[in-house]
Amino acid sequence: NGARIMLPYSLTDKNALIMYKNAGFNTLFIGYTFQYNAMDEELKDTKLIKIMDLAHEIGLKCFVWEKNLHRLTSRTHSLIDPENANGETVFVSEEELDKFVASCLKELILHPAFIGVSTRDEPCKAMLLAYAQTLKAMRKAKPDIYINANIALGYHDFLGAGQDLDISTIERYRKNL
């Protein structure tokens, strides 16, 4: 619904989640406290899946923080570089990046409470290419995926030294995005 609150209760507290649902919230942001690393563990045995199961039971959707996707959206160079490919943060081709991202989302997108992922907060200008490459790959894996990204207007890359936030700053910001 566009509103965001920090939850004072545990995400595993069913009564707290019912209270949030009754207050009009429809989505949980499950942050890095319950991060998921698709390369290290199966979703079925994680605390994350227990939270998602509970959210689904109550009728809430979930944004998830997946470690690998967060790392990709934090890179400051192209993710496609055949000469330096390592298969985790740099790839031989767009197809290889797509496969990696799909593997990170594979189990998550099957869960009925899953709505999307959280990516790097407030990316700097240098991260935008890798960000775009990752988002494109996520949309190939799940075309209707929602992506949570905090884009801070006035971020230092878009402000000149000593400049105040004004209409010209906003125009530079839009141009760069």
Side-chain angles (χ1 to χ4, degrees):
N1 290 354
R4 181 174 175 180
I5 60 169
M6 298 306 288
L7 306 178
Y9 304 100
S10 168
L11 290 174
T12 57
D13 180 340
K14 184 175 182 176
N15 290 329
L17 295 184
I18 290 170
M19 181 176 64
Y20 302 135
K21 170 82 172 165
N22 291 340
F25 291 94
N26 61 8
T27 308
L28 289 179
F29 172 74
I30 305 172
Y32 56 86
T33 305
F34 299 105
Q35 63 182 276
Y36 175 63
N37 183 347
M39 302 302 113
D40 289 345
E41 58 191 325
E42 291 186 36
L43 186 61
K44 67 180 179 174
D45 294 324
T46 65
K47 196 167 192 177
L48 171 65
I49 195 65
K50 292 173 178 66
I51 295 168
M52 291 176 75
D53 288 346
L54 185 56
H56 177 66
E57 178 186 330
I58 294 167
L60 298 169
K61 296 290 185 181
C62 299
F63 276 100
V64 175
W65 195 95
E66 200 284 329
K67 181 179 178 179
N68 300 289
L69 299 176
H70 188 271
R71 186 175 59 231
L72 291 178
T73 56
S74 300
R75 305 298 292 181
T76 57
H77 59 274
S78 177
L79 300 176
I80 312 300
D81 182 354
E83 293 180 16
N84 296 301
N86 61 21
E88 293 181 2
T89 57
V90 183
F91 301 87
V92 171
S93 65
E94 184 176 327
E95 293 75 27
E96 291 301 311
L97 170 62
D98 293 345
K99 286 180 194 174
F100 180 79
V101 168
S103 72
C104 293
L105 291 170
K106 183 175 81 172
E107 291 191 57
L108 290 171
I109 62 179
L110 297 176
H111 197 285
F114 178 78
I115 194 170
V117 295
S118 178
T119 54
R120 172 70 158 80
D121 278 355
E122 302 170 2
C124 66
K125 190 174 170 181
M127 296 174 185
L128 295 181
L129 175 59
Y131 217 96
Q133 291 170 323
T134 307
L135 270 56
K136 182 178 178 183
M138 284 193 272
R139 294 228 184 271
K140 287 179 184 176
K142 183 167 177 49
D144 62 343
I145 193 170
Y146 283 90
I147 296 155
N148 178 61
N150 294 327
I151 310 284
L153 186 59
Y155 196 83
H156 65 86
D157 281 340
F158 304 105
L159 284 172
Q163 288 186 327
D164 292 325
L165 183 63
D166 61 14
I167 294 299
S168 67
T169 305
I170 294 169
E171 291 307 317
R172 282 195 312 280
Y173 183 79
R174 285 183 180 158
K175 179 182 175 206
N176 281 292
L177 285 182

